[in-house]
Amino acid sequence: MKKLLAVLACAVFLAGCSPAPKRYNAVYTDVFDTVTEFTAYCSSQEEFDGMSERVHGELLRLHEIFDIYNEYPGIVNACSLNGAGGAETEVPDDLIELINMGIDWHKKTGGQLNIALGSVLSLWHECRENGTLPDENELLKRAGHCDIEKIAVTENSVTLTDPGMSLDFGAIAKGYAVGRAAEILKENGLEDFAISCGGNVVTSGKKPYGKWEIGIENPDGGLITTVSVSDEAVVTSGDYQRFVMIDGKRYHHIIDPKTLYPAEKWRSVTVICPDSALADALSTSLFCLDLEDGMKLLEDCKAEAMWVSQDGEVTKTPGFEDHEK
Ligand code: ADP
Ligand code: MG
């Protein structure tokens, strides 16, 4: 008995001596055309730097695969696929997975989330850059090349059977990528961290003094609320970050496939859910759906949401409010 007590006392003493984890932070500006912040509690700068290298490496890898604007040496990516002129193209597993997810969400949202909307989205992208509105005929012409049925997927290849079609993963890529990076950190033994990639936040564990506190922007500036989360993702889609003003009207980057113009139902939608990829897909989908259809979509997902309407009215699911306390 004496011996056991001695061993226990020693164990307690050793545990008491290990340094308390400290908060470390890193910022990357070269992935997904946005600012990414990685925060973690680690026992040393060295441990944090190793973890940071892993997160950054994974985000860079997925950024290159999902990039629709540039090709990179040694990989076939989304840009190569869009430029393949209808030829069957062998692509990495992550791209197959993202495309299958996109096809699934097209079904779930009655076509409101459509990764095959690339030709229409690129026209809007050019117009936002030039401060002009798209030509109506050109919009309609491009809308004829957005049929998701024209994507043929096998285990390792994709064929866009309409060569005029192009895919765009802006609605779902960041959530997927941040979720993957978080998995890698957990596999490597890191417990308490948060990654924020341009409005897509994923959290794990909890800070020593409580949960992670995530501020949610008010579309008109400042914060609208703060939520406490642990092991959950928080994702916002809004009209206030990528837009152009023409004749006093705001034209932003989330396009309603039915009207071919920016979706006007909401100013922002925020989703909280354990799965980061799901949270990203949901936030853009809810932004394009009315409240009733959005609520129906939420029934099948383990997720909470907050909608901000055009006149600033806020609607929340009861579970969302629980995170604010
Ligand atoms: P953000 O990129 O601002 O974080 P979202 O996740 O909501 O926001 O995605 C918006 C992006 O999704 C757009 O920049 C565009 O690339 C793409 N997109 C816009 N409208 C649609 C749509 N109806 N279906 C699928 N993708 C869309
Ligand atoms: Mg999204």
Side-chain angles (χ1 to χ4, degrees):
M1 186 62 185
K2 237 188 195 159
K3 196 171 175 194
L4 182 64
L5 272 181
V7 170
L8 274 179
C10 183
V12 169
F13 178 70
L14 283 177
C17 279
S18 66
K22 275 199 335 210
R23 186 186 173 113
Y24 295 90
N25 193 262
V27 173
Y28 325 118
T29 53
D30 52 0
V31 289
F32 296 102
D33 303 318
T34 188
V35 178
T36 301
E37 206 179 338
F38 169 49
T39 310
Y41 285 83
C42 289
S43 46
S44 67
Q45 180 73 50
E46 203 180 8
E47 187 198 358
F48 176 77
D49 289 346
M51 295 297 172
S52 173
E53 215 170 282
R54 288 185 178 100
V55 177
H56 192 198
E58 180 65 356
L59 292 178
L60 272 174
R61 185 184 77 81
L62 293 171
H63 166 86
E64 291 187 358
I65 292 175
F66 301 151
D67 192 342
I68 58 170
Y69 299 109
N70 309 288
E71 290 188 274
Y72 301 88
I75 62 161
V76 175
N77 72 352
C79 182
S80 334
L81 175 63
N82 281 341
E88 182 173 4
T89 308
E90 214 174 291
V91 298
D93 290 351
D94 289 290
L95 193 51
I96 299 273
E97 202 170 318
L98 201 69
I99 290 172
N100 282 329
M101 186 183 157
I103 293 172
D104 192 31
W105 278 84
H106 182 272
K107 268 194 221 110
K108 281 186 176 149
T109 60
Q112 287 301 92
L113 193 97
N114 185 3
I115 56 164
L117 204 61
S119 56
V120 167
L121 294 174
S122 65
L123 181 59
W124 273 106
H125 186 84
E126 283 162 32
C127 289
R128 276 198 310 279
E129 306 252 292
N130 301 333
T132 56
L133 284 177
D135 177 74
E136 275 290 327
N137 290 328
E138 184 61 23
L139 254 188
L140 288 173
K141 199 173 105 195
R142 293 191 184 207
H145 297 286
C146 300
D147 181 359
I148 201 144
E149 300 286 334
K150 303 256 165 80
I151 310 177
V153 191
T154 71
E155 247 177 41
N156 60 356
S157 75
V158 183
T159 314
L160 304 182
T161 60
D162 170 1
M165 167 188 280
S166 66
L167 306 184
D168 180 302
F169 302 102
I172 53 177
K174 275 185 286 173
Y176 177 97
V178 172
R180 275 288 137 91
E183 273 170 34
I184 288 181
L185 291 177
K186 285 183 196 165
E187 281 163 18
N188 280 278
L190 191 64
E191 283 176 1
D192 298 307
F193 63 84
I195 310 168
S196 169
C197 176
N200 284 243
V201 178
V202 67
T203 62
S204 169
K206 52 182 81 146
K207 291 186 295 163
Y209 307 109
K211 294 187 171 192
W212 292 95
E213 303 277 325
I214 312 295
I216 299 177
E217 277 182 78
N218 184 331
D220 287 324
L223 290 187
I224 197 160
T225 188
T226 301
V227 292
S228 304
V229 285
S230 180
D231 296 318
E232 281 163 311
V234 184
V235 178
T236 299
S237 289
D239 70 0
Y240 52 92
Q241 266 177 341
R242 283 197 256 165
F243 65 91
V244 64
M245 295 298 287
I246 299 174
D247 294 333
K249 193 169 155 54
R250 181 191 295 266
Y251 294 89
H252 64 83
H253 70 312
I254 303 177
I255 303 301
D256 183 335
K258 289 205 179 95
T259 63
L260 304 177
Y261 276 78
E264 290 194 316
K265 295 186 177 76
W266 308 104
R267 296 235 36 218
S268 76
V269 180
T270 300
V271 171
I272 304 176
C273 109
D275 184 317
S276 168
L278 181 71
D280 194 7
L282 251 181
S283 72
T284 318
S285 299
L286 294 182
F287 193 93
C288 294
L289 292 169
D290 62 27
L291 192 61
E292 200 184 331
D293 288 337
M295 287 285 193
K296 261 189 227 140
L297 186 61
L298 276 174
E299 278 169 19
D300 301 331
C301 313
K302 203 176 161 230
E304 306 300 338
M306 175 179 78
W307 295 258
V308 181
S309 74
Q310 293 294 343
D311 54 13
E313 198 186 323
V314 178
T315 309
K316 297 165 190 169
T317 57
F320 191 96
E321 286 174 358
D322 293 342
H323 286 80
E324 293 178 283
K325 285 165 195 160

PDB file of all heavy atoms in Angstrom, residues 221-233:
ATOM      1  N   GLY A 221     -21.877  45.951 -40.384  1.00  0.00           N
ATOM      2  CA  GLY A 221     -20.688  46.323 -39.625  1.00  0.00           C
ATOM      3  C   GLY A 221     -20.800  45.915 -38.164  1.00  0.00           C
ATOM      4  O   GLY A 221     -21.899  45.797 -37.624  1.00  0.00           O
ATOM      5  N   GLY A 222     -19.670  45.688 -37.532  1.00  0.00           N
ATOM      6  CA  GLY A 222     -19.649  45.248 -36.127  1.00  0.00           C
ATOM      7  C   GLY A 222     -20.055  43.793 -36.012  1.00  0.00           C
ATOM      8  O   GLY A 222     -20.136  43.069 -37.007  1.00  0.00           O
ATOM      9  N   LEU A 223     -20.321  43.384 -34.771  1.00  0.00           N
ATOM     10  CA  LEU A 223     -20.723  41.993 -34.546  1.00  0.00           C
ATOM     11  C   LEU A 223     -22.220  41.928 -34.269  1.00  0.00           C
ATOM     12  O   LEU A 223     -22.768  42.791 -33.592  1.00  0.00           O
ATOM     13  CB  LEU A 223     -19.984  41.399 -33.346  1.00  0.00           C
ATOM     14  CG  LEU A 223     -18.487  41.130 -33.482  1.00  0.00           C
ATOM     15  CD1 LEU A 223     -17.977  40.391 -32.256  1.00  0.00           C
ATOM     16  CD2 LEU A 223     -18.177  40.320 -34.742  1.00  0.00           C
ATOM     17  N   ILE A 224     -22.857  40.884 -34.782  1.00  0.00           N
ATOM     18  CA  ILE A 224     -24.296  40.730 -34.513  1.00  0.00           C
ATOM     19  C   ILE A 224     -24.503  39.846 -33.280  1.00  0.00           C
ATOM     20  O   ILE A 224     -25.441  40.028 -32.513  1.00  0.00           O
ATOM     21  CB  ILE A 224     -25.031  40.195 -35.756  1.00  0.00           C
ATOM     22  CG1 ILE A 224     -26.529  40.436 -35.641  1.00  0.00           C
ATOM     23  CG2 ILE A 224     -24.750  38.738 -36.033  1.00  0.00           C
ATOM     24  CD1 ILE A 224     -27.268  40.387 -36.953  1.00  0.00           C
ATOM     25  N   THR A 225     -23.582  38.901 -33.090  1.00  0.00           N
ATOM     26  CA  THR A 225     -23.636  38.046 -31.897  1.00  0.00           C
ATOM     27  C   THR A 225     -22.309  37.284 -31.759  1.00  0.00           C
ATOM     28  O   THR A 225     -21.440  37.354 -32.630  1.00  0.00           O
ATOM     29  CB  THR A 225     -24.817  37.045 -31.964  1.00  0.00           C
ATOM     30  OG1 THR A 225     -24.935  36.365 -30.717  1.00  0.00           O
ATOM     31  CG2 THR A 225     -24.638  36.003 -33.053  1.00  0.00           C
ATOM     32  N   THR A 226     -22.186  36.568 -30.647  1.00  0.00           N
ATOM     33  CA  THR A 226     -21.016  35.707 -30.435  1.00  0.00           C
ATOM     34  C   THR A 226     -21.526  34.331 -30.027  1.00  0.00           C
ATOM     35  O   THR A 226     -22.455  34.237 -29.225  1.00  0.00           O
ATOM     36  CB  THR A 226     -20.135  36.290 -29.301  1.00  0.00           C
ATOM     37  OG1 THR A 226     -19.745  37.603 -29.692  1.00  0.00           O
ATOM     38  CG2 THR A 226     -18.896  35.464 -29.077  1.00  0.00           C
ATOM     39  N   VAL A 227     -20.944  33.291 -30.596  1.00  0.00           N
ATOM     40  CA  VAL A 227     -21.376  31.942 -30.211  1.00  0.00           C
ATOM     41  C   VAL A 227     -20.214  31.182 -29.565  1.00  0.00           C
ATOM     42  O   VAL A 227     -19.056  31.392 -29.913  1.00  0.00           O
ATOM     43  CB  VAL A 227     -21.925  31.136 -31.423  1.00  0.00           C
ATOM     44  CG1 VAL A 227     -23.234  31.727 -31.902  1.00  0.00           C
ATOM     45  CG2 VAL A 227     -20.927  31.039 -32.562  1.00  0.00           C
ATOM     46  N   SER A 228     -20.555  30.304 -28.605  1.00  0.00           N
ATOM     47  CA  SER A 228     -19.553  29.454 -27.957  1.00  0.00           C
ATOM     48  C   SER A 228     -19.656  28.069 -28.561  1.00  0.00           C
ATOM     49  O   SER A 228     -20.753  27.492 -28.589  1.00  0.00           O
ATOM     50  CB  SER A 228     -19.849  29.310 -26.466  1.00  0.00           C
ATOM     51  OG  SER A 228     -19.924  30.561 -25.882  1.00  0.00           O
ATOM     52  N   VAL A 229     -18.539  27.568 -29.028  1.00  0.00           N
ATOM     53  CA  VAL A 229     -18.566  26.245 -29.670  1.00  0.00           C
ATOM     54  C   VAL A 229     -17.360  25.408 -29.268  1.00  0.00           C
ATOM     55  O   VAL A 229     -16.326  25.937 -28.873  1.00  0.00           O
ATOM     56  CB  VAL A 229     -18.589  26.368 -31.213  1.00  0.00           C
ATOM     57  CG1 VAL A 229     -19.938  26.776 -31.733  1.00  0.00           C
ATOM     58  CG2 VAL A 229     -17.515  27.301 -31.727  1.00  0.00           C
ATOM     59  N   SER A 230     -17.542  24.092 -29.420  1.00  0.00           N
ATOM     60  CA  SER A 230     -16.440  23.160 -29.201  1.00  0.00           C
ATOM     61  C   SER A 230     -16.690  21.971 -30.109  1.00  0.00           C
ATOM     62  O   SER A 230     -17.798  21.433 -30.142  1.00  0.00           O
ATOM     63  CB  SER A 230     -16.443  22.736 -27.735  1.00  0.00           C
ATOM     64  OG  SER A 230     -15.391  21.848 -27.525  1.00  0.00           O
ATOM     65  N   ASP A 231     -15.691  21.559 -30.867  1.00  0.00           N
ATOM     66  CA  ASP A 231     -15.838  20.460 -31.832  1.00  0.00           C
ATOM     67  C   ASP A 231     -16.950  20.743 -32.847  1.00  0.00           C
ATOM     68  O   ASP A 231     -17.678  19.831 -33.240  1.00  0.00           O
ATOM     69  CB  ASP A 231     -16.095  19.122 -31.115  1.00  0.00           C
ATOM     70  CG  ASP A 231     -14.914  18.726 -30.262  1.00  0.00           C
ATOM     71  OD1 ASP A 231     -13.775  18.886 -30.728  1.00  0.00           O
ATOM     72  OD2 ASP A 231     -15.125  18.297 -29.119  1.00  0.00           O
ATOM     73  N   GLU A 232     -17.107  22.001 -33.216  1.00  0.00           N
ATOM     74  CA  GLU A 232     -18.119  22.372 -34.204  1.00  0.00           C
ATOM     75  C   GLU A 232     -17.544  23.386 -35.181  1.00  0.00           C
ATOM     76  O   GLU A 232     -16.602  24.106 -34.865  1.00  0.00           O
ATOM     77  CB  GLU A 232     -19.329  22.995 -33.516  1.00  0.00           C
ATOM     78  CG  GLU A 232     -20.249  21.972 -32.893  1.00  0.00           C
ATOM     79  CD  GLU A 232     -21.187  22.589 -31.888  1.00  0.00           C
ATOM     80  OE1 GLU A 232     -20.718  23.344 -31.021  1.00  0.00           O
ATOM     81  OE2 GLU A 232     -22.380  22.328 -31.974  1.00  0.00           O
ATOM     82  N   ALA A 233     -18.184  23.428 -36.373  1.00  0.00           N
ATOM     83  CA  ALA A 233     -17.803  24.430 -37.376  1.00  0.00           C
ATOM     84  C   ALA A 233     -18.833  25.550 -37.354  1.00  0.00           C
ATOM     85  O   ALA A 233     -20.008  25.316 -37.035  1.00  0.00           O
ATOM     86  CB  ALA A 233     -17.752  23.781 -38.748  1.00  0.00           C
TER      87      ALA A 233
END
